[in-house]
Amino acid sequence: VVAIQQMFLLDSSSVKRSLELIAKSKPDYVYVNPGICTAYYPVLKKELPCPLLVGGLISGRADIERALQAEANSVTVTYSRLAQILKS
């Protein structure tokens, strides 16, 4: 069984609380939503003991590239045209 815990970045309080819960639950992966909050990725990567999956509000190649450059391990998308960008 693989556990993925979702983390919603609403404000600094939600980030703090999510990190506390993740420390207790020890998931295999953390899914961060919305995925466009790249400024938080380096902090999250430092605090999280697992890979960082991101998604939500990803609207184009630039968002995907920013997420990956900001240390996300993987980016999820809904639209098939964006999935094609990930394959290229």
Side-chain angles (χ1 to χ4, degrees), residues 1-8 21-22 25-33 50-55 74 76:
V1 175
V2 174
I4 301 173
Q5 185 163 341
Q6 189 162 9
M7 177 180 199
F8 288 97
L21 292 170
I22 290 165
S25 64
K26 297 179 174 61
D28 299 299
Y29 299 90
V30 171
Y31 179 79
V32 177
N33 193 336
C50 56
L52 187 63
L53 313 175
V54 302
S74 184
T76 65

Side-chain angles (χ1 to χ4, degrees), residues 7-83:
M7 177 180 199
F8 288 97
L9 301 180
L10 301 173
D11 56 24
S12 58
S13 296
S14 68
V15 171
K16 181 181 175 189
R17 181 70 180 136
S18 291
L19 288 172
E20 290 169 357
L21 292 170
I22 290 165
K24 290 179 184 178
S25 64
K26 297 179 174 61
D28 299 299
Y29 299 90
V30 171
Y31 179 79
V32 177
N33 193 336
I36 59 169
C37 293
T38 57
Y40 282 96
Y41 296 175
V43 173
L44 297 177
K45 288 288 285 189
K46 186 176 179 181
E47 297 289 326
L48 295 173
C50 56
L52 187 63
L53 313 175
V54 302
L57 301 178
I58 303 291
S59 62
R61 178 182 290 277
D63 291 336
I64 294 167
E65 290 173 355
R66 272 192 295 274
L68 294 172
Q69 289 172 357
E71 301 186 42
N73 295 92
S74 184
V75 179
T76 65
V77 296
T78 303
Y79 300 110
S80 59
R81 105 182 140 74
L82 292 177

